[in-house]
Amino acid sequence: MLRYTLKRLLSLILSLLVASLVIFAAIEVVPGDPAQYMLGINAQEDTLNALREQLGLNQSVVSRYFSWVAGMVQGDFGVSYTYRTPVRDMVAERLWISLPLALYALALAILVAFPAGILAARKRGSFLDSTVMGVTQLGVAIPNFWFAMLMVLLFAVSLRWFSAGGFPGWDNGFWLAMKALTLPAIALSLQQASILTRVMRSSLLDTLSEDFVRTARAKGLSTGQALWRHALRNAMIPVLTIIGMQFSFLIAGGIVIENVFFLPGLGRLIFQSISQRDLIVVESVVMILVFAVIMVNFAVDLAYAFVDPRLRRRT
Amino acid sequence: MTTLRTAAALTSALALCASLGTAHAAGGDVTVGLQLEPPHLDPTSAAAGAIDQVLYSNVFEGLTRFGPDGSINPGLAKDWDVSEDGLTYTFHLQEGVTFHDGTTMDAEDVKFSLDRARAEDSANAQKALFADIASVDVVDPATVKVTLSKPNGNFLFNMAWGDAVIVAPESIENIKTNPVGTGAFTFSNWVQGDQITLTKNADYWGEPAKLDSATFKFISDPTAAFAAVMAEDVDAFGGYPAPENLPQFEADPRFNVLIGSTEGETILSTNNAQPPFDNPKVREALAHAIDRQAIIDGAMFGYGTPIGTHFAPHHPDYVDLTGNSAYDPEKAKALLAEAGFADGFTTTLKLPPPSYARRGGEIIAAQLRDVGIETEISNLEWAQWLEQVFRGKDFGLTIISHTEPLDIGIYANPDYYFQYDSAEFQGVMAELNEATDPAKRSELLQKAQTIISDDYVNGYLFQLAQLSVVKANLVGIWENSPTQATDLTAVYWEE
């Protein structure tokens, strides 16, 4: 287990290094001068130069890359060109919306997908099974931003149960904040819940037809007992993979939903920073997202080993 | 001199009468939706109109200030004297003015603000506003003398800009996150990405605000803006981004729709130095090939005033020159043939993000195709547009709204991105800058408009409309947008 973990850790560090190079290079070649963007079309050349000097844009590319990486290692992500506040603080603030939103959506997806998937697998071929399959088919097909708009029209504009968007902040009470995240979380989770249900069902059906389940049945367990004690655990590997992938998607995929609900999350921060050429923020936020995705994958890898002892021994 | 003083006194007296004469419910809160969030909160070091949109007049004030109709009114300067040669402005400041942190606002602060804006390392996006200032001297705590290096008839107008507001040396360090001004509202909180809250300044030196607090919510997506107004999450939306929804609001008794004017001349900007546009005949052909009304209807759902020159139609000196470039495709074809382009030509049309440009671009491309001009459309982000079009001058045509008030002076700069170089026009502008007599200024402004219209420098399309949706019982939101501002100082709820 230790060797397995160490090997995963090494590949994690390598991935991060490569990612930092690619991100920096990609963003450096994007045309557009941040100083000109900030000062607009009436700015004079001397003013622009003064600002570029202040922002450190007059330094060479190589020295900017190294100071960026060196800063990140120490937890310093630089200072935003436009907002002039440390990127770390901005991201931390935004993460307090994006992360709970992603977790909320994931929890909703799991809460729906597990029972629905297990039920559909147990009652394979029944009316219930085809209903679940039909609804999830639809859930996969509907774009989440469109579904989000429909919900806004119904729950905010017509029924007035929720506000159309925005975020009151956690200081104003936990439930108020959760309420503001509810419609976005539902919109985000629709697709994920549908995919997860289908994966859960098919993975469970696969394991249910395996020899060890037949053996378990033969030694006298009921279908239900065999499913709970033996099949479910073995069916979890593909499900965990999907959950891992979905979590990364939910953090990054919030960009569209955050814009529909005007939530001040990470997604919207990236969106704004790209158009404002706030390069340092884009670089750092993308890097943080890459870091999050790699960490989630790392955790999923460890979770595999946890549910499947064979993986531990093989490496 | 004396007339100016009287006028100033009169304006404030009138304002006082107006506020005494109306019955209104004091207090209350208002939530205003805006599309763009300020990048930071220092109006004196960024071009972003979003900063003024929140802070101008509410939190920060200048020596002079814009009225709802674009007039220049006294601000922190209660009146002023101008010397005979137009070189010395002596400002008499309002007394008893304090900044929101409790420090006094006096002549030293004015000197600091103006000197900071024109300093060598200044980051002021409109540094040109201060270019003619030779020195700023403190006469006594309530009097400042500004000496110009040459007469500038626009000086009082320049001092009303959001880029010229008075700031204090004590609070300048943190101005970007904690703006400290002298206005009727104090800055209270900023949830980045979501909202900014202002609260009433109880110690305001002038007529106090009627509202207790004001919240600005930033909603960039037009569909989300619609939902937020409909769900009454916001009480007003300034610069409403989806004109296609306005009829729905007009039919709804809960809302008022305000259709006003902005300072935004929307033009088909033409690269005057790039062939074939260096040929005036080609530019004339271009002007006649454009059907303005079709663009206003198609791109702006009918909201917008046709213009025939680079000047705001609501300005008293505006000359209607639309007839000069009336829609006439046959004439356009004939002119092209005359210029040697009987078979037309191909050029680039580079479009920045706003919908007036993207939607308008498609319509213009079709209209130009009818007279034989093919356009290669490319959609650019703002940063790309600034790089390629504005700095690089690498374009044939582009569509852009010039939103600075009274900015016809840009045509006097031959290096400006559309590269119009006319000695005659430059002469008129030089004369205008030194003219202080109102009648003379009017005449020169009108002459300037006619010259650029006759030279067909750019395709003049329409004046951008200011569209706002406001709750029916909310009174005092500006209909027009003489500068980018949401002045809430006189806004109140009607019972």
Side-chain angles (χ1 to χ4, degrees):
Chain A
M1 185 69 187
L2 186 69
R3 254 190 78 195
Y4 176 80
T5 314
L6 281 178
K7 245 180 121 169
R8 295 277 117 212
L9 209 61
L10 190 70
S11 91
L12 180 149
I13 291 169
L14 272 175
S15 316
L16 283 179
L17 218 73
V18 172
S20 76
L21 260 175
V22 172
I23 291 168
F24 190 82
I27 286 168
E28 283 305 311
V29 299
V30 174
D33 173 8
Q36 178 86 58
Y37 183 90
M38 287 160 68
L39 292 177
I41 58 177
N42 280 10
Q44 298 179 356
E45 200 50 50
D46 58 338
T47 325
L48 286 170
N49 250 329
L51 184 63
R52 282 194 207 107
E53 194 59 48
Q54 271 181 39
L55 297 176
L57 286 169
N58 288 342
Q59 293 165 20
S60 79
V61 177
V62 181
S63 78
R64 268 187 297 146
Y65 174 74
F66 280 110
S67 65
W68 177 56
V69 172
M72 276 198 301
V73 173
Q74 297 160 23
D76 173 13
F77 291 87
V79 175
S80 156
Y81 294 163
T82 33
Y83 289 99
R84 298 295 172 83
T85 44
V87 177
R88 190 183 46 196
D89 298 354
M90 283 169 74
V91 170
E93 206 173 297
R94 305 298 180 103
L95 214 54
W96 271 108
I97 291 160
S98 292
L99 206 60
L101 176 62
L103 283 172
Y104 193 174
L106 192 68
L108 284 179
I110 291 174
L111 274 178
V112 172
F114 275 40
I118 294 171
L119 224 60
R122 274 195 74 173
K123 314 257 177 197
R124 184 182 186 181
S126 68
F127 172 72
L128 185 89
D129 185 23
S130 20
T131 313
V132 167
M133 292 307 280
V135 170
T136 53
Q137 183 73 59
L138 209 64
V140 174
I142 291 179
N144 55 14
F145 68 89
W146 183 73
F147 181 62
M149 285 178 197
L150 287 190
M151 284 203 299
V152 168
L153 284 181
L154 179 63
F155 293 111
V157 174
S158 300
L159 295 173
R160 313 271 300 267
W161 291 352
F162 291 89
S163 49
F167 188 71
W170 293 103
D171 312 339
N172 289 329
F174 177 76
W175 294 112
L176 208 65
M178 284 305 273
K179 190 180 169 198
L181 291 182
T182 299
L183 288 186
I186 295 175
L188 259 180
S189 67
L190 175 77
Q191 232 163 23
Q192 310 311 323
S194 305
I195 295 170
L196 209 56
T197 307
R198 296 173 78 87
V199 172
M200 187 79 218
R201 174 183 174 275
S202 63
S203 166
L204 203 54
L205 284 178
D206 283 348
T207 38
L208 278 176
S209 60
E210 296 253 359
D211 289 345
F212 68 86
V213 177
R214 206 174 313 135
T215 314
R217 291 276 286 129
K219 71 178 194 193
L221 294 183
S222 71
T223 331
Q225 283 169 322
L227 187 146
W228 286 113
R229 288 193 202 158
H230 300 280
L232 196 58
R233 184 163 171 172
N234 282 288
M236 282 309 281
I237 294 237
V239 174
L240 274 180
T241 314
I242 297 291
I243 291 182
M245 280 164 58
Q246 283 187 335
F247 189 68
S248 332
F249 171 82
L250 286 172
I251 291 190
I255 296 182
V256 176
I257 292 297
E258 281 171 14
N259 272 306
V260 173
F261 290 98
F262 45 103
L263 292 171
L266 265 192
R268 216 168 136 209
L269 181 64
I270 298 184
F271 195 74
Q272 279 181 348
S273 310
I274 290 175
S275 61
Q276 294 171 341
R277 287 296 182 278
D278 200 341
L279 304 183
I280 189 92
V281 175
V282 182
E283 285 165 357
S284 300
V285 175
V286 172
M287 196 61 213
I288 289 167
L289 285 179
V290 168
F291 182 73
V293 170
I294 291 177
M295 283 311 284
V296 168
N297 284 343
F298 179 67
V300 170
D301 281 344
L302 292 187
Y304 284 159
F306 185 73
V307 292
D308 188 348
R310 282 171 301 178
L311 280 175
R312 270 175 260 170
R313 261 176 261 126
R314 206 181 295 155
T315 38
Chain B
M1 224 189 291
T2 35
T3 39
L4 272 173
R5 279 195 155 196
T6 328
L10 213 78
T11 324
S12 33
L14 277 175
L16 204 68
C17 290
S19 60
L20 287 173
T22 32
H24 55 77
D29 307 321
V30 73
T31 305
V32 179
L34 294 175
Q35 211 184 356
L36 293 177
E37 180 179 22
H40 57 74
L41 302 176
D42 179 8
T44 63
S45 71
I51 302 175
D52 287 334
Q53 204 66 262
V54 173
L55 300 176
Y56 184 77
S57 207
N58 296 329
V59 173
F60 285 113
E61 299 170 302
L63 290 172
T64 53
R65 75 202 290 171
F66 286 108
D69 55 350
S71 58
I72 303 300
N73 300 325
L76 288 176
K78 62 183 174 207
D79 49 38
W80 45 84
D81 309 312
V82 186
S83 67
E84 290 299 333
D85 57 4
L87 285 175
T88 315
Y89 284 74
T90 309
F91 291 98
H92 305 280
L93 305 179
Q94 294 282 1
E95 274 159 55
V97 180
T98 53
F99 282 101
H100 299 148
D101 61 359
T103 55
T104 354
M105 195 286 303
D106 58 23
E108 290 292 346
D109 297 301
V110 175
K111 179 176 166 56
F112 168 77
S113 303
L114 297 183
D115 284 346
R116 176 171 170 266
R118 62 198 191 93
E120 191 132 344
D121 61 348
S122 151
N124 197 298
Q126 311 288 349
K127 206 173 164 183
L129 294 178
F130 311 93
D132 291 338
I133 299 181
S135 68
V136 183
D137 300 297
V138 174
V139 178
D140 62 58
T143 316
V144 180
K145 194 176 81 180
V146 178
T147 313
L148 304 184
S149 53
K150 58 178 198 276
N152 183 337
N154 266 341
F155 186 65
L156 291 172
F157 171 83
N158 290 353
M159 290 302 106
W161 284 51
D163 305 83
V165 294
I166 303 305
V167 292
E170 293 89 347
S171 52
I172 203 71
E173 183 95 11
N174 298 319
I175 185 172
K176 290 198 159 87
T177 47
N178 183 25
V180 174
T182 53
F185 288 93
T186 57
F187 166 77
S188 116
N189 186 33
W190 183 10
V191 181
Q192 277 188 358
D194 191 48
Q195 54 175 271
I196 289 176
T197 314
L198 311 178
T199 42
K200 179 178 172 165
N201 174 10
D203 303 322
Y204 186 54
W205 58 268
E207 171 82 8
K210 290 158 186 136
L211 297 165
D212 293 329
S213 79
T215 305
F216 290 91
K217 265 188 113 49
F218 307 106
I219 305 171
S220 55
D221 184 67
T223 322
F226 170 75
V229 179
M230 271 309 216
E232 299 184 31
D233 286 355
V234 297
D235 302 314
F237 205 107
Y240 184 73
E244 59 271 33
N245 301 136
L246 287 179
Q248 202 171 338
F249 289 119
E250 273 168 346
D252 194 326
R254 290 181 294 161
F255 306 108
N256 271 338
V257 174
L258 306 180
I259 298 161
S261 188
T262 67
E263 294 298 320
E265 291 84 18
T266 312
I267 60 175
L268 176 68
S269 217
T270 308
N271 192 341
N272 279 239
Q274 189 190 72
F277 301 117
D278 53 347
N279 183 341
K281 281 259 181 307
V282 174
R283 299 201 301 263
E284 189 180 351
L286 208 60
H288 289 295
I290 297 167
D291 181 358
R292 294 187 181 93
Q293 200 54 49
I295 298 166
I296 295 172
D297 291 342
M300 303 310 292
F301 297 85
Y303 300 103
T305 315
I307 51 170
T309 183
H310 196 106
F311 217 73
H314 52 81
H315 194 283
D317 295 328
Y318 174 73
V319 193
D320 186 355
L321 295 162
T322 46
N324 201 12
S325 47
Y327 178 52
D328 187 349
E330 288 314 313
K331 187 171 178 190
K333 278 186 212 167
L335 282 163
L336 280 179
E338 232 178 282
F341 294 99
D343 300 330
F345 58 88
T346 303
T347 186
T348 54
L349 176 55
K350 299 196 171 177
L351 305 174
S355 59
Y356 64 73
R358 294 281 166 89
R359 289 180 189 157
E362 301 287 339
I363 301 169
I364 286 183
Q367 292 176 354
L368 293 183
R369 193 171 303 125
D370 288 344
V371 300
I373 304 173
E374 284 297 327
T375 48
E376 291 162 5
I377 291 187
S378 42
N379 290 334
L380 305 180
E381 280 178 274
W382 272 124
Q384 283 174 305
W385 186 89
L386 286 168
E387 182 104 347
Q388 289 181 27
V389 178
F390 192 75
R391 285 183 78 83
K393 302 175 180 107
D394 173 22
F395 73 107
L397 300 168
T398 182
I399 300 176
I400 178 80
S401 201
H402 282 267
T403 52
E404 276 76 24
L406 208 64
D407 55 358
I408 195 168
I410 56 181
Y411 286 76
N413 174 4
D415 291 329
Y416 206 62
Y417 74 106
F418 48 70
Q419 302 177 85
Y420 170 61
D421 194 352
S422 153
E424 187 193 5
F425 185 86
Q426 287 155 23
V428 171
M429 276 298 128
E431 216 180 320
L432 177 73
N433 280 340
E434 304 197 352
T436 41
D437 171 43
K440 178 76 181 159
R441 288 183 62 80
S442 287
E443 185 200 318
L444 287 167
L445 281 172
Q446 292 177 353
K447 194 169 166 196
Q449 294 173 54
T450 316
I451 296 174
I452 57 171
S453 173
D454 288 345
D455 277 347
Y456 302 99
V457 183
N458 294 312
Y460 300 103
L461 306 176
F462 57 88
Q463 195 74 13
L464 208 58
Q466 165 78 4
L467 308 172
S468 312
V469 184
V470 180
K471 284 254 189 80
N473 55 342
L474 187 66
V475 186
I477 295 274
W478 287 11
E479 182 174 308
N480 295 319
S481 177
T483 183
Q484 284 179 308
T486 318
D487 187 333
L488 296 175
T489 51
V491 170
Y492 62 93
W493 289 102
E494 205 171 54
E495 285 185 82

